[in-house]
Amino acid sequence: MDAFDVNLPRDIDACHELILELDRERRRQAAVIAQQQETIAQQQETIDRLQSDVDLLKRTLYGRRRERFVDDSQQGLLFDSTIVGADDDSGSGDDDESDDDEPSPERRSSKGRGRRLFPELLPRKTVRHELDEQEIPEELRNDPTARRFFKKTSEQLEFTPASIHVIEHYQEVIVRDEASGETTIATAKKPPQLIDAYTGPGFWAHLTASRFADHLPYYRQEDILARHGCRIGRGTQQRWLFALALAVAPLVELMRRLALQSEVLGCDETPVKMLAGEPPGCTKTYLWSTVGDNAHPYDCFHFTPDRSRDGPDEFLAGFQGYLQSDAYTCYERIAAADDRIVPVGCWAHARRKFEEIHFSAPSVRTHTALGYFQRLYDIEDRARDSSVSQRGALRQREAKLIVTEFHQWLLEQSERELPKSKLRAAIAYMTNRWQSFACYLDHGAIPIDNNRTEAALKYAVLGRKAWLFFGNSQGGETAATFFTLTKSCNRHHVDPFAYLRDVYTRLPTTPASDLPSLLPDRWIDEHPQHRLQERADEARQRADRKRARREQRRAHAATPS
């Protein structure tokens, strides 16, 4: 008999007990397996999430940042081919890269560029190249009828380094000795200066534009000045700019008040490190941007030591209208506390969440969502040059139906997704505040996204990347003041140096009632020679090329296959 059979119990009760024990062991092992499978599923979910984060990080560090939506052969199954096209440039923010994979009707050829014409406003010097007597042929040298003249053959740009010069001020003095022994003196007055310093308005304008338009750190500007023969320490530069910021504060406050009168105000924020603490270290402070509409065209900045609601409560005080921002709770609570403020969502922020998921894990659902965004942005692209009323009518006629359909689709997909999935989080981002996203349909003046404010904030981010941190809170306030001036100049394509030099010269004698004449948009109307026309033309041409590509895509999508 087998040894295994010998060890089996012979008693019925013992056999039942053995069976029950084996069943309990099976159940225990099944429970352990189920727990392990749940652990494996959780770990796999964590791995997928971390892999997605790594992919996005690698894309941020090494890849193209354009949030493009490239079509595939399945797109025709999702929407009418007459509406959805091959890609989407409209929702990709303010990216300036060109599309090499799409034909452009205005792409410039490398040949036949033609002769470069230099602006007439540039000063010109004449250099005459004369013939040596030995180079003149004998028959021309002795011919009295031969005519000699100079022919202009070319123009060449040359550079003369910036120079620092000293202005010696002499005040006229008249003195008369009286018979009584007293002396009568009359002295000419010097023109008032904005701050007490041994430099002039042009020098201050150079420091300001270098720091807050060209984003040069103080130490780098110190070296540049030293090359021109005058080293000025970074501490001195900082003190001068702080004094100048206090002096121009009335003009900046006027710009901020006018921006708050906008019907639609964009708002956003970015962190900036500040040296502080014991032992010395860094703390996180914030720069906030408030961008006015076309009737109040000023890009304003504000500094706060933290990200709390106290800062926006202060610089948004008195505003009433549409406040467009991301979903930071600070803005939402401000709007909830004041019924005069209507929160407006940013479709670019919402689209970005779906695009990131589509980048790491493409699916039919993410493709469908991006298709909805593309259809809405196509409508905005066609309405870009329309009036406010025409744009609003077009949105009501075409975009409203798409928005309603998109909302219903989001609700349906939310029920199918797992609670912790990224797609469900992206859907919840929109559905939880759907009224603010649909708000742009009600008014043609409301932009579909807040990209204009993000673009303004990136102007300050360029400076942050160069000088890394604020030295103290005064440095933060100074930066907010001058970013307001220089970014508003940038918005109107104004030469910041020429503008600031004139402001620094005129401000000491300008009464408060005449401050509006120093606003950048009004100043450039009086000084059109200081408009950076090439930049304005370049921006317009780039926008025209993008629009032509989008129209080409839509026309291609509308053509039956």
Side-chain angles (χ1 to χ4, degrees):
M1 183 178 291
D2 195 348
F4 178 77
D5 296 334
V6 173
N7 295 328
L8 291 176
R10 300 294 182 178
D11 185 63
I12 296 297
D13 294 336
C15 290
H16 289 171
E17 183 62 29
L18 178 60
I19 292 173
L20 292 175
E21 179 63 27
L22 292 175
D23 185 63
R24 285 193 292 269
E25 178 64 20
R26 182 188 62 79
R27 292 175 180 272
R28 186 186 67 80
Q29 291 179 353
V32 171
I33 292 173
Q35 184 179 5
Q36 291 176 342
Q37 289 177 340
E38 182 180 357
T39 302
I40 292 173
Q42 293 175 351
Q43 291 174 343
Q44 185 61 45
E45 182 181 352
T46 302
I47 291 172
D48 293 341
R49 186 178 69 254
L50 294 177
Q51 184 61 48
S52 175
D53 294 341
V54 170
D55 291 341
L56 289 175
L57 179 60
K58 291 171 68 176
R59 176 192 182 185
T60 302
L61 291 175
Y62 309 115
R64 294 183 63 179
R65 298 193 179 185
R66 161 164 286 185
E67 299 164 2
R68 298 190 61 199
F69 173 42
V70 182
D71 194 14
D72 59 24
S73 59
Q74 299 297 319
Q75 181 67 24
L77 303 177
L78 305 178
F79 297 108
D80 187 347
S81 61
T82 62
I83 299 178
V84 179
D87 66 304
D88 179 18
D89 289 336
S90 303
S92 57
D94 57 336
D95 189 73
D96 291 340
E97 299 179 12
S98 62
D99 294 322
D100 297 332
D101 55 343
E102 296 182 20
S104 174
E106 300 180 10
R107 186 173 295 279
R108 186 171 59 193
S109 171
S110 60
K111 296 182 180 180
R113 183 173 182 177
R115 184 176 178 180
R116 179 66 181 266
L117 299 178
F118 300 127
E120 292 297 330
L121 57 88
L122 292 178
R124 281 169 162 73
K125 295 182 179 179
T126 301
V127 177
R128 298 179 182 270
H129 305 282
E130 299 183 356
L131 285 167
D132 293 334
E133 289 299 321
Q134 299 177 353
E135 296 175 347
I136 303 176
E138 185 69 28
E139 60 273 15
L140 293 179
R141 189 185 310 168
N142 299 324
D143 187 355
T145 63
R147 294 175 290 110
R148 303 185 69 164
F149 61 92
F150 289 90
K151 180 180 70 172
K152 182 178 179 180
T153 57
S154 64
E155 290 185 342
Q156 184 182 46
L157 277 180
E158 187 54 277
F159 176 77
T160 301
S163 61
I164 300 176
H165 59 276
V166 178
I167 298 178
E168 297 179 346
H169 291 270
Y170 290 86
Q171 294 173 264
E172 184 180 9
V173 180
I174 299 178
V175 180
R176 185 180 68 179
D177 295 327
E178 304 289 348
S180 61
E182 296 182 355
T183 301
T184 302
I185 301 176
T187 306
K189 294 182 179 180
K190 288 177 59 178
Q193 282 210 141
L194 198 59
I195 63 172
D196 183 16
Y198 56 83
T199 45
F203 202 100
W204 305 334
H206 171 72
L207 290 181
T208 308
S210 297
R211 172 73 175 181
F212 299 104
D214 301 330
H215 312 296
L216 293 178
Y218 288 126
Y219 78 89
R220 200 175 300 167
Q221 183 61 25
E222 182 180 350
D223 293 340
I224 292 173
L225 292 173
R227 292 202 298 267
H228 299 310
C230 183
R231 179 181 292 275
I232 296 180
R234 62 201 75 177
T236 302
Q237 297 179 46
Q238 186 176 8
R239 288 192 297 272
W240 285 348
L241 288 177
F242 177 64
L244 288 168
L246 294 178
V248 300
L251 176 61
V252 173
E253 287 303 315
L254 173 62
M255 296 171 67
R256 290 171 176 171
R257 290 198 305 271
L258 291 175
L260 290 181
Q261 296 176 15
S262 301
E263 189 174 13
V264 183
L265 184 71
C267 196
D268 203 355
E269 81 287 339
T270 189
V272 183
K273 292 180 180 179
M274 184 180 74
L275 296 181
E278 291 292 341
C282 284
T283 184
K284 186 183 290 187
T285 61
Y286 282 85
L287 277 177
W288 308 69
S289 63
T290 51
V291 176
D293 56 20
N294 292 333
H296 309 86
Y298 310 108
D299 296 352
C300 304
F301 289 81
H302 313 265
F303 169 80
T304 61
D306 51 43
R307 204 186 182 199
S308 68
R309 179 178 161 180
D310 295 340
D313 269 342
E314 180 179 349
F315 62 73
L316 291 177
F319 171 71
Q320 50 185 354
Y322 297 98
L323 180 63
Q324 190 167 46
S325 64
D326 56 21
Y328 179 37
T329 56
C330 174
Y331 305 123
E332 295 180 337
R333 291 175 180 175
I334 290 175
D338 190 345
D339 55 5
R340 299 176 302 172
I341 299 178
V342 181
V344 180
C346 172
W347 284 79
H349 275 83
R351 181 191 183 279
R352 191 170 301 143
K353 296 181 181 299
F354 290 95
E355 194 276 337
E356 290 175 353
I357 300 171
H358 187 73
F359 169 77
S360 57
S363 67
V364 173
R365 285 190 288 268
T366 57
H367 205 104
T368 303
L370 292 176
Y372 277 115
F373 284 104
Q374 180 174 291
R375 295 165 69 186
L376 294 174
Y377 270 96
D378 277 347
I379 295 172
E380 293 303 305
D381 187 53
R382 289 191 283 116
R384 192 177 300 273
D385 294 330
S386 303
S387 65
V388 171
S389 58
Q390 290 173 337
R391 187 181 302 112
L394 181 63
R395 288 173 177 175
Q396 288 292 319
R397 187 171 61 252
E398 298 186 22
K400 189 173 183 179
L401 295 175
I402 301 174
V403 168
T404 303
E405 181 184 340
F406 188 24
H407 186 209
Q408 183 61 35
W409 182 86
L410 289 173
L411 295 176
E412 294 174 356
Q413 299 305 313
S414 178
E415 297 177 355
R416 301 176 184 177
E417 287 294 317
L418 295 175
K420 294 185 179 181
S421 73
K422 285 192 172 184
L423 182 57
R424 184 163 184 173
I427 293 173
Y429 177 85
M430 296 192 71
T431 55
N432 290 345
R433 47 187 66 85
W434 187 254
Q435 186 175 357
S436 67
F437 280 102
C439 183
Y440 90 102
L441 298 172
D442 300 331
H443 201 315
I446 303 176
I448 191 174
D449 55 41
N450 203 30
N451 283 344
R452 59 188 181 127
T453 310
E454 285 195 345
L457 207 57
K458 286 179 181 178
Y459 187 86
V461 171
L462 289 175
R464 182 187 65 192
K465 290 181 177 179
W467 32 256
L468 301 180
F469 52 80
F470 296 136
N472 48 45
S473 59
Q474 290 181 348
E477 295 288 354
T478 301
T481 296
F482 286 122
F483 276 139
T484 299
L485 291 174
T486 57
K487 181 60 184 74
S488 295
C489 285
N490 174 267
R491 178 171 178 171
H492 298 285
H493 304 289
V494 177
D495 178 2
F497 171 78
Y499 170 74
L500 290 169
R501 180 177 56 185
D502 192 51
V503 167
Y504 291 156
T505 302
R506 293 168 52 188
L507 198 57
T509 57
T510 301
S513 58
D514 290 342
L515 273 182
S517 65
L518 297 180
L519 294 170
D521 57 321
R522 304 186 189 183
W523 184 88
I524 194 60
D525 290 338
E526 299 176 0
H527 304 81
Q529 69 275 18
H530 294 302
R531 187 186 301 277
L532 302 177
Q533 191 59 46
E534 288 191 1
R535 283 296 187 188
D537 294 342
E538 184 183 60
R540 185 181 64 255
Q541 292 168 5
R542 184 169 58 248
D544 290 343
R545 287 195 298 270
K546 286 185 176 182
R547 189 171 307 170
R549 287 195 296 270
R550 294 170 189 145
E551 291 177 355
Q552 206 172 59
R553 167 177 57 77
R554 288 194 291 266
H556 177 74
T559 304
S561 57

